[in-house]
Amino acid sequence: MKEDYFKMKKAYTYKLTVLYLANILIMFAISAICALLHLSDQLTMIVEVCGEFLFVYTLNRFWIKSQIFLKSNIPFRSQISVNTVSFILVLCYLIAIVDHGTFSEKFLLSIISALLFAITEEYLFRGIILGSFLRQFNFSVFTSVIFCSLLFGMTHLMNLTYQSLTLTVGQILSATALGIIFCCIYLRTRSLLWPIGLHFVVDVSAGASSLAKGTYNIPVSPYYSIIPLLLSVCLMLFLLRKSKQSQIKASFRQN
């Protein structure tokens, strides 16, 4: 029995590793093709995320087969109550990074790409990876959230291909902090729609600020990123406290 469990765990580790690494390679490949076709930066982002989603969805549908929860199993009023602190924390984060300015007609493409990225990244990280840590690996709630958020943050290492290490580290810490918040929302509501919506708001705001500055990257200092990271950890300790963990585990292990 124990041997079968370890075989299953090993097989799932292999599947998630392939998914994570192949996803990064797919993004690089699509980006290189778009560069050869001389597509604009925003159009490249849209093509890249569409290709990424199709790849991730297909792999999960026919190989990994991780269950994705969209419809919550708690009343809507309770969902709002659970998300209140998270919304306030993200609002403070947005106020800190967003500068007001004039937007060009490119803003519409920024909205589209933000929505596509929110759907794709939440489907991959919170839907597949976080859910797999809880169900197939039987990790604790805190361990699942931390590992998932770190993987989400480390994905931004790809940005080293066109920006400084300092800026990249700041973005990794910032993304990890947001990843913790998105994990908490998904685990408490059991609906991927909530983190998708919040992720979309963050990306749209960051995109708007980028267009106002004439750049596609928001400078994030590693020092300032430590503060939201610590606040996110405090939020995790509150929302995923011991009294809620048995309910979360039971909810996510339902077929």
Side-chain angles (χ1 to χ4, degrees), residues 86-87 89-94 97 121-122 126 145 148-150 152-153 156 170-186 195 198-203 206 220 225 228-233 235:
S86 300
F87 289 161
L89 186 56
V90 170
L91 180 62
C92 294
Y93 173 80
L94 294 179
I97 68 169
E121 292 181 345
E122 292 309 308
R126 260 55 66 178
V145 170
C148 176
S149 302
L150 285 174
F152 178 59
H156 293 74
Q171 290 176 345
I172 289 173
L173 294 176
S174 180
T176 301
L178 289 171
I180 292 173
I181 296 175
F182 298 152
C183 285
C184 292
I185 292 174
Y186 185 44
L198 201 56
H199 194 149
F200 169 67
V201 171
V202 171
D203 281 359
V220 182
S225 299
L229 182 59
L230 293 176
L231 291 175
S232 297
V233 171
L235 179 68

Side-chain angles (χ1 to χ4, degrees), residues 51 79 93 188 206:
Q79 296 177 51
Y93 173 80
R188 286 297 305 274

